[in-house]
Amino acid sequence: VSAIQPTGTDLNPSVESHARSKAKFKSKSKAEASWICVVQGIVMASMIAVSGFWTSTLQLLSTIIYKILLGDTNKARLAVRYLGKLFLSLAPYLITKWNPGIRIIYHADDAAKACIEKQEQDGPNLLVLSNHQGDIDWIVGLTLSSRFGSPLPGSLKATVKKSLKYVPVLGWIFVMLEFIFLHRDWASDKELLRKMAKELQDYPKPFWMGLWPEGTRKSPEKIQECRVFCEKNNL
């Protein structure tokens, strides 16, 4: 307030005191809000980590019992899918319910609405194409899939970079849910995609396959690299 006063003009003591109190209150409120966000983030991360560990453990046990010991791949997939649904439903719930300021609004045409209504047992499999604008935009897709109900998001799959396979807990769950881990090299990925497409032909319906055609997060540097590649290959 004093910074915008004309030079040589004294601020009224009562006004100055009120301004200082208001600024102090705002500063204190921001500090408290920051601490609340930190604590909330730690609690959410802990819940996801612990539940993810037990989910991946139970998925592994289900695979050993049904697929290896009993030779029933279909039951193993159903068990892994169910456990994956419980885990993958946690993040959208925490983000939307614990953060009332966040709203995710979806718009759909009649064809998409009709498809939504069919997303039940034995419904159609879907290929979901999406832009990749940032680090956490995939959460929007995860939240969308959770709105469709069982067996989603447990039957959600995606093409992701191979390094994610080695991320503790999350990578283990991705492996059990049969995500496709790409090397980002067409010579090797081409055969991998053909192999996974064949293996998923008898996967219990319905499932979604998420694909980010850009292959990476969007940034000015990445866009420039893409332009250079396109010019080099006459694309």
Side-chain angles (χ1 to χ4, degrees):
V1 175
S2 60
I4 64 174
Q5 298 301 312
T7 304
T9 302
D10 293 330
L11 197 64
N12 186 288
S14 60
V15 175
E16 184 177 6
S17 176
H18 175 72
R20 288 177 179 176
S21 299
K22 189 174 181 181
K24 185 177 180 181
F25 175 77
K26 286 184 177 180
S27 177
K28 185 177 180 181
S29 298
K30 289 182 178 179
E32 289 178 351
S34 298
W35 276 109
I36 291 174
C37 289
V38 170
V39 172
Q40 189 179 55
I42 293 174
V43 172
M44 290 173 63
S46 300
M47 291 177 65
I48 292 174
V50 173
S51 62
F53 173 79
W54 285 111
T55 297
S56 59
T57 301
L58 292 173
Q59 285 179 325
L60 178 59
L61 290 175
S62 299
T63 302
I64 293 174
I65 293 173
Y66 287 114
K67 185 175 181 178
I68 298 177
L69 298 181
L70 300 179
D72 194 332
T73 301
N74 190 61
K75 282 189 177 180
R77 281 174 159 174
L78 290 174
V80 168
R81 185 179 72 177
Y82 176 75
L83 293 166
K85 183 195 76 169
L86 297 180
F87 174 73
L88 293 178
S89 297
L90 179 60
Y93 175 81
L94 293 177
I95 291 170
T96 55
K97 299 300 181 182
W98 285 26
N99 295 276
I102 296 178
R103 288 198 310 158
I104 300 177
I105 302 174
Y106 301 100
H107 301 274
D109 55 22
D110 293 337
K113 291 178 180 178
C115 188
I116 291 173
E117 295 173 355
K118 295 179 180 178
Q119 284 299 300
E120 300 175 353
Q121 294 296 331
D122 297 324
N125 296 327
L126 298 180
L127 176 63
V128 182
L129 304 179
S130 174
N131 296 119
H132 200 356
Q133 303 291 331
D135 293 322
I136 59 173
D137 53 6
W138 53 271
I139 292 179
V140 176
L142 185 59
T143 306
L144 172 62
S145 68
S146 67
R147 302 283 180 89
F148 283 74
S150 186
L152 292 163
S155 59
L156 182 66
K157 309 184 184 307
T159 55
V160 296
K161 57 185 178 181
K162 187 179 180 181
S163 58
L164 290 179
K165 179 190 291 188
Y166 306 105
V167 175
V169 179
L170 193 60
W172 306 340
I173 293 175
F174 286 172
V175 171
M176 300 306 300
L177 290 176
E178 301 180 64
F179 275 45
I180 301 177
F181 299 93
L182 302 177
H183 300 81
R184 290 180 170 178
D185 176 66
W186 180 241
S188 57
D189 289 337
K190 178 170 63 174
E191 294 303 319
L192 174 63
L193 289 169
R194 286 177 177 173
K195 177 185 176 183
M196 290 302 298
K198 185 177 181 180
E199 291 182 359
L200 291 173
Q201 284 182 357
D202 58 351
Y203 191 90
K205 292 183 178 181
F207 71 84
W208 287 12
M209 175 59 70
L211 176 64
W212 289 265
E214 296 153 327
T216 187
R217 294 178 300 279
K218 183 180 179 182
S219 67
E221 295 76 17
K222 299 290 185 182
I223 292 175
Q224 183 58 33
E225 290 179 10
C226 290
R227 288 174 177 169
V228 172
F229 177 83
C230 291
E231 291 175 359
K232 182 179 179 181
N233 293 275
N234 297 318
L235 298 175

mmCIF file with all atom_site columns, all heavy atoms in Angstrom, residues 85-103:
data_model
loop_
_atom_site.group_PDB
_atom_site.id
_atom_site.type_symbol
_atom_site.label_atom_id
_atom_site.label_alt_id
_atom_site.label_comp_id
_atom_site.label_asym_id
_atom_site.label_entity_id
_atom_site.label_seq_id
_atom_site.pdbx_PDB_ins_code
_atom_site.Cartn_x
_atom_site.Cartn_y
_atom_site.Cartn_z
_atom_site.occupancy
_atom_site.B_iso_or_equiv
_atom_site.pdbx_formal_charge
_atom_site.auth_seq_id
_atom_site.auth_comp_id
_atom_site.auth_asym_id
_atom_site.auth_atom_id
_atom_site.pdbx_PDB_model_num
ATOM 1   N N   . LYS A 1 85  ? -8.054  -52.720 -11.098 1.00 0.00 ? 85  LYS A N   1
ATOM 2   C CA  . LYS A 1 85  ? -9.164  -51.762 -11.039 1.00 0.00 ? 85  LYS A CA  1
ATOM 3   C C   . LYS A 1 85  ? -9.218  -51.080 -9.674  1.00 0.00 ? 85  LYS A C   1
ATOM 4   O O   . LYS A 1 85  ? -9.399  -49.864 -9.582  1.00 0.00 ? 85  LYS A O   1
ATOM 5   C CB  . LYS A 1 85  ? -10.491 -52.477 -11.305 1.00 0.00 ? 85  LYS A CB  1
ATOM 6   C CG  . LYS A 1 85  ? -11.703 -51.551 -11.333 1.00 0.00 ? 85  LYS A CG  1
ATOM 7   C CD  . LYS A 1 85  ? -13.001 -52.299 -11.240 1.00 0.00 ? 85  LYS A CD  1
ATOM 8   C CE  . LYS A 1 85  ? -13.228 -52.756 -9.812  1.00 0.00 ? 85  LYS A CE  1
ATOM 9   N NZ  . LYS A 1 85  ? -14.602 -53.277 -9.595  1.00 0.00 ? 85  LYS A NZ  1
ATOM 10  N N   . LEU A 1 86  ? -9.037  -51.855 -8.617  1.00 0.00 ? 86  LEU A N   1
ATOM 11  C CA  . LEU A 1 86  ? -9.067  -51.290 -7.270  1.00 0.00 ? 86  LEU A CA  1
ATOM 12  C C   . LEU A 1 86  ? -7.956  -50.259 -7.092  1.00 0.00 ? 86  LEU A C   1
ATOM 13  O O   . LEU A 1 86  ? -8.173  -49.188 -6.507  1.00 0.00 ? 86  LEU A O   1
ATOM 14  C CB  . LEU A 1 86  ? -8.919  -52.408 -6.228  1.00 0.00 ? 86  LEU A CB  1
ATOM 15  C CG  . LEU A 1 86  ? -10.034 -53.456 -6.191  1.00 0.00 ? 86  LEU A CG  1
ATOM 16  C CD1 . LEU A 1 86  ? -9.732  -54.496 -5.115  1.00 0.00 ? 86  LEU A CD1 1
ATOM 17  C CD2 . LEU A 1 86  ? -11.399 -52.802 -5.935  1.00 0.00 ? 86  LEU A CD2 1
ATOM 18  N N   . PHE A 1 87  ? -6.778  -50.582 -7.596  1.00 0.00 ? 87  PHE A N   1
ATOM 19  C CA  . PHE A 1 87  ? -5.643  -49.662 -7.424  1.00 0.00 ? 87  PHE A CA  1
ATOM 20  C C   . PHE A 1 87  ? -5.775  -48.426 -8.306  1.00 0.00 ? 87  PHE A C   1
ATOM 21  O O   . PHE A 1 87  ? -5.604  -47.295 -7.843  1.00 0.00 ? 87  PHE A O   1
ATOM 22  C CB  . PHE A 1 87  ? -4.330  -50.381 -7.745  1.00 0.00 ? 87  PHE A CB  1
ATOM 23  C CG  . PHE A 1 87  ? -3.141  -49.458 -7.737  1.00 0.00 ? 87  PHE A CG  1
ATOM 24  C CD1 . PHE A 1 87  ? -2.636  -48.977 -6.539  1.00 0.00 ? 87  PHE A CD1 1
ATOM 25  C CD2 . PHE A 1 87  ? -2.546  -49.044 -8.924  1.00 0.00 ? 87  PHE A CD2 1
ATOM 26  C CE1 . PHE A 1 87  ? -1.554  -48.103 -6.522  1.00 0.00 ? 87  PHE A CE1 1
ATOM 27  C CE2 . PHE A 1 87  ? -1.468  -48.178 -8.913  1.00 0.00 ? 87  PHE A CE2 1
ATOM 28  C CZ  . PHE A 1 87  ? -0.970  -47.713 -7.713  1.00 0.00 ? 87  PHE A CZ  1
ATOM 29  N N   . LEU A 1 88  ? -6.078  -48.621 -9.591  1.00 0.00 ? 88  LEU A N   1
ATOM 30  C CA  . LEU A 1 88  ? -6.138  -47.494 -10.519 1.00 0.00 ? 88  LEU A CA  1
ATOM 31  C C   . LEU A 1 88  ? -7.322  -46.564 -10.251 1.00 0.00 ? 88  LEU A C   1
ATOM 32  O O   . LEU A 1 88  ? -7.352  -45.444 -10.736 1.00 0.00 ? 88  LEU A O   1
ATOM 33  C CB  . LEU A 1 88  ? -6.201  -48.011 -11.961 1.00 0.00 ? 88  LEU A CB  1
ATOM 34  C CG  . LEU A 1 88  ? -4.949  -48.734 -12.459 1.00 0.00 ? 88  LEU A CG  1
ATOM 35  C CD1 . LEU A 1 88  ? -5.157  -49.246 -13.868 1.00 0.00 ? 88  LEU A CD1 1
ATOM 36  C CD2 . LEU A 1 88  ? -3.725  -47.821 -12.386 1.00 0.00 ? 88  LEU A CD2 1
ATOM 37  N N   . SER A 1 89  ? -8.294  -47.025 -9.479  1.00 0.00 ? 89  SER A N   1
ATOM 38  C CA  . SER A 1 89  ? -9.429  -46.166 -9.116  1.00 0.00 ? 89  SER A CA  1
ATOM 39  C C   . SER A 1 89  ? -9.071  -45.247 -7.955  1.00 0.00 ? 89  SER A C   1
ATOM 40  O O   . SER A 1 89  ? -9.796  -44.280 -7.681  1.00 0.00 ? 89  SER A O   1
ATOM 41  C CB  . SER A 1 89  ? -10.642 -47.021 -8.730  1.00 0.00 ? 89  SER A CB  1
ATOM 42  O OG  . SER A 1 89  ? -11.081 -47.800 -9.819  1.00 0.00 ? 89  SER A OG  1
ATOM 43  N N   . LEU A 1 90  ? -7.957  -45.547 -7.271  1.00 0.00 ? 90  LEU A N   1
ATOM 44  C CA  . LEU A 1 90  ? -7.588  -44.774 -6.084  1.00 0.00 ? 90  LEU A CA  1
ATOM 45  C C   . LEU A 1 90  ? -7.136  -43.364 -6.428  1.00 0.00 ? 90  LEU A C   1
ATOM 46  O O   . LEU A 1 90  ? -7.586  -42.392 -5.811  1.00 0.00 ? 90  LEU A O   1
ATOM 47  C CB  . LEU A 1 90  ? -6.474  -45.506 -5.325  1.00 0.00 ? 90  LEU A CB  1
ATOM 48  C CG  . LEU A 1 90  ? -5.946  -44.818 -4.054  1.00 0.00 ? 90  LEU A CG  1
ATOM 49  C CD1 . LEU A 1 90  ? -7.074  -44.641 -3.045  1.00 0.00 ? 90  LEU A CD1 1
ATOM 50  C CD2 . LEU A 1 90  ? -4.798  -45.631 -3.453  1.00 0.00 ? 90  LEU A CD2 1
ATOM 51  N N   . ALA A 1 91  ? -6.262  -43.225 -7.429  1.00 0.00 ? 91  ALA A N   1
ATOM 52  C CA  . ALA A 1 91  ? -5.728  -41.902 -7.778  1.00 0.00 ? 91  ALA A CA  1
ATOM 53  C C   . ALA A 1 91  ? -6.821  -40.925 -8.216  1.00 0.00 ? 91  ALA A C   1
ATOM 54  O O   . ALA A 1 91  ? -6.879  -39.794 -7.707  1.00 0.00 ? 91  ALA A O   1
ATOM 55  C CB  . ALA A 1 91  ? -4.655  -42.041 -8.853  1.00 0.00 ? 91  ALA A CB  1
ATOM 56  N N   . PRO A 1 92  ? -7.718  -41.311 -9.143  1.00 0.00 ? 92  PRO A N   1
ATOM 57  C CA  . PRO A 1 92  ? -8.799  -40.383 -9.518  1.00 0.00 ? 92  PRO A CA  1
ATOM 58  C C   . PRO A 1 92  ? -9.671  -39.986 -8.331  1.00 0.00 ? 92  PRO A C   1
ATOM 59  O O   . PRO A 1 92  ? -10.112 -38.839 -8.225  1.00 0.00 ? 92  PRO A O   1
ATOM 60  C CB  . PRO A 1 92  ? -9.609  -41.178 -10.550 1.00 0.00 ? 92  PRO A CB  1
ATOM 61  C CG  . PRO A 1 92  ? -8.634  -42.133 -11.130 1.00 0.00 ? 92  PRO A CG  1
ATOM 62  C CD  . PRO A 1 92  ? -7.740  -42.516 -9.986  1.00 0.00 ? 92  PRO A CD  1
ATOM 63  N N   . TYR A 1 93  ? -9.921  -40.937 -7.429  1.00 0.00 ? 93  TYR A N   1
ATOM 64  C CA  . TYR A 1 93  ? -10.747 -40.645 -6.256  1.00 0.00 ? 93  TYR A CA  1
ATOM 65  C C   . TYR A 1 93  ? -10.063 -39.603 -5.359  1.00 0.00 ? 93  TYR A C   1
ATOM 66  O O   . TYR A 1 93  ? -10.681 -38.614 -4.956  1.00 0.00 ? 93  TYR A O   1
ATOM 67  C CB  . TYR A 1 93  ? -11.006 -41.920 -5.465  1.00 0.00 ? 93  TYR A CB  1
ATOM 68  C CG  . TYR A 1 93  ? -11.753 -41.670 -4.168  1.00 0.00 ? 93  TYR A CG  1
ATOM 69  C CD1 . TYR A 1 93  ? -13.136 -41.510 -4.156  1.00 0.00 ? 93  TYR A CD1 1
ATOM 70  C CD2 . TYR A 1 93  ? -11.063 -41.563 -2.955  1.00 0.00 ? 93  TYR A CD2 1
ATOM 71  C CE1 . TYR A 1 93  ? -13.817 -41.251 -2.981  1.00 0.00 ? 93  TYR A CE1 1
ATOM 72  C CE2 . TYR A 1 93  ? -11.732 -41.304 -1.781  1.00 0.00 ? 93  TYR A CE2 1
ATOM 73  C CZ  . TYR A 1 93  ? -13.116 -41.151 -1.789  1.00 0.00 ? 93  TYR A CZ  1
ATOM 74  O OH  . TYR A 1 93  ? -13.776 -40.890 -0.619  1.00 0.00 ? 93  TYR A OH  1
ATOM 75  N N   . LEU A 1 94  ? -8.783  -39.829 -5.069  1.00 0.00 ? 94  LEU A N   1
ATOM 76  C CA  . LEU A 1 94  ? -8.068  -38.907 -4.188  1.00 0.00 ? 94  LEU A CA  1
ATOM 77  C C   . LEU A 1 94  ? -7.960  -37.518 -4.811  1.00 0.00 ? 94  LEU A C   1
ATOM 78  O O   . LEU A 1 94  ? -8.119  -36.502 -4.133  1.00 0.00 ? 94  LEU A O   1
ATOM 79  C CB  . LEU A 1 94  ? -6.667  -39.448 -3.893  1.00 0.00 ? 94  LEU A CB  1
ATOM 80  C CG  . LEU A 1 94  ? -6.599  -40.727 -3.050  1.00 0.00 ? 94  LEU A CG  1
ATOM 81  C CD1 . LEU A 1 94  ? -5.157  -41.188 -2.912  1.00 0.00 ? 94  LEU A CD1 1
ATOM 82  C CD2 . LEU A 1 94  ? -7.215  -40.500 -1.671  1.00 0.00 ? 94  LEU A CD2 1
ATOM 83  N N   . ILE A 1 95  ? -7.698  -37.475 -6.122  1.00 0.00 ? 95  ILE A N   1
ATOM 84  C CA  . ILE A 1 95  ? -7.498  -36.194 -6.791  1.00 0.00 ? 95  ILE A CA  1
ATOM 85  C C   . ILE A 1 95  ? -8.792  -35.397 -6.875  1.00 0.00 ? 95  ILE A C   1
ATOM 86  O O   . ILE A 1 95  ? -8.807  -34.184 -6.639  1.00 0.00 ? 95  ILE A O   1
ATOM 87  C CB  . ILE A 1 95  ? -6.921  -36.419 -8.196  1.00 0.00 ? 95  ILE A CB  1
ATOM 88  C CG1 . ILE A 1 95  ? -5.482  -36.935 -8.075  1.00 0.00 ? 95  ILE A CG1 1
ATOM 89  C CG2 . ILE A 1 95  ? -6.948  -35.135 -9.022  1.00 0.00 ? 95  ILE A CG2 1
ATOM 90  C CD1 . ILE A 1 95  ? -4.895  -37.407 -9.367  1.00 0.00 ? 95  ILE A CD1 1
ATOM 91  N N   . THR A 1 96  ? -9.900  -36.050 -7.185  1.00 0.00 ? 96  THR A N   1
ATOM 92  C CA  . THR A 1 96  ? -11.168 -35.331 -7.361  1.00 0.00 ? 96  THR A CA  1
ATOM 93  C C   . THR A 1 96  ? -11.902 -35.093 -6.040  1.00 0.00 ? 96  THR A C   1
ATOM 94  O O   . THR A 1 96  ? -12.583 -34.078 -5.883  1.00 0.00 ? 96  THR A O   1
ATOM 95  C CB  . THR A 1 96  ? -12.096 -36.094 -8.312  1.00 0.00 ? 96  THR A CB  1
ATOM 96  O OG1 . THR A 1 96  ? -12.290 -37.440 -7.823  1.00 0.00 ? 96  THR A OG1 1
ATOM 97  C CG2 . THR A 1 96  ? -11.486 -36.163 -9.701  1.00 0.00 ? 96  THR A CG2 1
ATOM 98  N N   . LYS A 1 97  ? -11.785 -35.998 -5.087  1.00 0.00 ? 97  LYS A N   1
ATOM 99  C CA  . LYS A 1 97  ? -12.510 -35.871 -3.823  1.00 0.00 ? 97  LYS A CA  1
ATOM 100 C C   . LYS A 1 97  ? -11.733 -35.070 -2.784  1.00 0.00 ? 97  LYS A C   1
ATOM 101 O O   . LYS A 1 97  ? -12.332 -34.364 -1.981  1.00 0.00 ? 97  LYS A O   1
ATOM 102 C CB  . LYS A 1 97  ? -12.827 -37.256 -3.265  1.00 0.00 ? 97  LYS A CB  1
ATOM 103 C CG  . LYS A 1 97  ? -13.710 -38.116 -4.169  1.00 0.00 ? 97  LYS A CG  1
ATOM 104 C CD  . LYS A 1 97  ? -15.050 -37.464 -4.439  1.00 0.00 ? 97  LYS A CD  1
ATOM 105 C CE  . LYS A 1 97  ? -15.926 -38.347 -5.310  1.00 0.00 ? 97  LYS A CE  1
ATOM 106 N NZ  . LYS A 1 97  ? -17.216 -37.711 -5.628  1.00 0.00 ? 97  LYS A NZ  1
ATOM 107 N N   . TRP A 1 98  ? -10.419 -35.188 -2.803  1.00 0.00 ? 98  TRP A N   1
ATOM 108 C CA  . TRP A 1 98  ? -9.611  -34.471 -1.827  1.00 0.00 ? 98  TRP A CA  1
ATOM 109 C C   . TRP A 1 98  ? -9.247  -33.066 -2.286  1.00 0.00 ? 98  TRP A C   1
ATOM 110 O O   . TRP A 1 98  ? -8.673  -32.289 -1.537  1.00 0.00 ? 98  TRP A O   1
ATOM 111 C CB  . TRP A 1 98  ? -8.342  -35.258 -1.514  1.00 0.00 ? 98  TRP A CB  1
ATOM 112 C CG  . TRP A 1 98  ? -8.571  -36.443 -0.635  1.00 0.00 ? 98  TRP A CG  1
ATOM 113 C CD1 . TRP A 1 98  ? -9.720  -37.161 -0.505  1.00 0.00 ? 98  TRP A CD1 1
ATOM 114 C CD2 . TRP A 1 98  ? -7.634  -37.042 0.253   1.00 0.00 ? 98  TRP A CD2 1
ATOM 115 N NE1 . TRP A 1 98  ? -9.557  -38.179 0.379   1.00 0.00 ? 98  TRP A NE1 1
ATOM 116 C CE2 . TRP A 1 98  ? -8.281  -38.138 0.871   1.00 0.00 ? 98  TRP A CE2 1
ATOM 117 C CE3 . TRP A 1 98  ? -6.315  -36.777 0.583   1.00 0.00 ? 98  TRP A CE3 1
ATOM 118 C CZ2 . TRP A 1 98  ? -7.642  -38.960 1.793   1.00 0.00 ? 98  TRP A CZ2 1
ATOM 119 C CZ3 . TRP A 1 98  ? -5.671  -37.600 1.503   1.00 0.00 ? 98  TRP A CZ3 1
ATOM 120 C CH2 . TRP A 1 98  ? -6.342  -38.677 2.107   1.00 0.00 ? 98  TRP A CH2 1
ATOM 121 N N   . ASN A 1 99  ? -9.524  -32.763 -3.520  1.00 0.00 ? 99  ASN A N   1
ATOM 122 C CA  . ASN A 1 99  ? -9.220  -31.438 -4.050  1.00 0.00 ? 99  ASN A CA  1
ATOM 123 C C   . ASN A 1 99  ? -10.485 -30.853 -4.679  1.00 0.00 ? 99  ASN A C   1
ATOM 124 O O   . ASN A 1 99  ? -10.673 -30.947 -5.896  1.00 0.00 ? 99  ASN A O   1
ATOM 125 C CB  . ASN A 1 99  ? -8.108  -31.517 -5.097  1.00 0.00 ? 99  ASN A CB  1
ATOM 126 C CG  . ASN A 1 99  ? -6.792  -31.979 -4.502  1.00 0.00 ? 99  ASN A CG  1
ATOM 127 O OD1 . ASN A 1 99  ? -6.030  -31.201 -3.950  1.00 0.00 ? 99  ASN A OD1 1
ATOM 128 N ND2 . ASN A 1 99  ? -6.540  -33.272 -4.617  1.00 0.00 ? 99  ASN A ND2 1
ATOM 129 N N   . PRO A 1 100 ? -11.359 -30.278 -3.876  1.00 0.00 ? 100 PRO A N   1
ATOM 130 C CA  . PRO A 1 100 ? -12.634 -29.771 -4.386  1.00 0.00 ? 100 PRO A CA  1
ATOM 131 C C   . PRO A 1 100 ? -12.471 -28.682 -5.444  1.00 0.00 ? 100 PRO A C   1
ATOM 132 O O   . PRO A 1 100 ? -13.396 -28.398 -6.190  1.00 0.00 ? 100 PRO A O   1
ATOM 133 C CB  . PRO A 1 100 ? -13.333 -29.226 -3.136  1.00 0.00 ? 100 PRO A CB  1
ATOM 134 C CG  . PRO A 1 100 ? -12.226 -28.971 -2.157  1.00 0.00 ? 100 PRO A CG  1
ATOM 135 C CD  . PRO A 1 100 ? -11.206 -30.030 -2.432  1.00 0.00 ? 100 PRO A CD  1
ATOM 136 N N   . GLY A 1 101 ? -11.279 -28.075 -5.534  1.00 0.00 ? 101 GLY A N   1
ATOM 137 C CA  . GLY A 1 101 ? -11.059 -27.037 -6.524  1.00 0.00 ? 101 GLY A CA  1
ATOM 138 C C   . GLY A 1 101 ? -10.806 -27.588 -7.917  1.00 0.00 ? 101 GLY A C   1
ATOM 139 O O   . GLY A 1 101 ? -10.793 -26.842 -8.890  1.00 0.00 ? 101 GLY A O   1
ATOM 140 N N   . ILE A 1 102 ? -10.594 -28.897 -8.026  1.00 0.00 ? 102 ILE A N   1
ATOM 141 C CA  . ILE A 1 102 ? -10.317 -29.518 -9.321  1.00 0.00 ? 102 ILE A CA  1
ATOM 142 C C   . ILE A 1 102 ? -11.597 -30.100 -9.898  1.00 0.00 ? 102 ILE A C   1
ATOM 143 O O   . ILE A 1 102 ? -12.286 -30.890 -9.258  1.00 0.00 ? 102 ILE A O   1
ATOM 144 C CB  . ILE A 1 102 ? -9.263  -30.644 -9.178  1.00 0.00 ? 102 ILE A CB  1
ATOM 145 C CG1 . ILE A 1 102 ? -7.934  -30.051 -8.721  1.00 0.00 ? 102 ILE A CG1 1
ATOM 146 C CG2 . ILE A 1 102 ? -9.098  -31.389 -10.496 1.00 0.00 ? 102 ILE A CG2 1
ATOM 147 C CD1 . ILE A 1 102 ? -6.858  -31.087 -8.515  1.00 0.00 ? 102 ILE A CD1 1
ATOM 148 N N   . ARG A 1 103 ? -11.908 -29.690 -11.117 1.00 0.00 ? 103 ARG A N   1
ATOM 149 C CA  . ARG A 1 103 ? -13.066 -30.240 -11.826 1.00 0.00 ? 103 ARG A CA  1
ATOM 150 C C   . ARG A 1 103 ? -12.618 -30.698 -13.204 1.00 0.00 ? 103 ARG A C   1
ATOM 151 O O   . ARG A 1 103 ? -11.923 -29.978 -13.901 1.00 0.00 ? 103 ARG A O   1
ATOM 152 C CB  . ARG A 1 103 ? -14.184 -29.202 -11.973 1.00 0.00 ? 103 ARG A CB  1
ATOM 153 C CG  . ARG A 1 103 ? -14.919 -28.875 -10.697 1.00 0.00 ? 103 ARG A CG  1
ATOM 154 C CD  . ARG A 1 103 ? -16.243 -28.211 -11.009 1.00 0.00 ? 103 ARG A CD  1
ATOM 155 N NE  . ARG A 1 103 ? -16.087 -27.095 -11.955 1.00 0.00 ? 103 ARG A NE  1
ATOM 156 C CZ  . ARG A 1 103 ? -17.078 -26.634 -12.694 1.00 0.00 ? 103 ARG A CZ  1
ATOM 157 N NH1 . ARG A 1 103 ? -18.278 -27.193 -12.636 1.00 0.00 ? 103 ARG A NH1 1
ATOM 158 N NH2 . ARG A 1 103 ? -16.873 -25.612 -13.522 1.00 0.00 ? 103 ARG A NH2 1
#
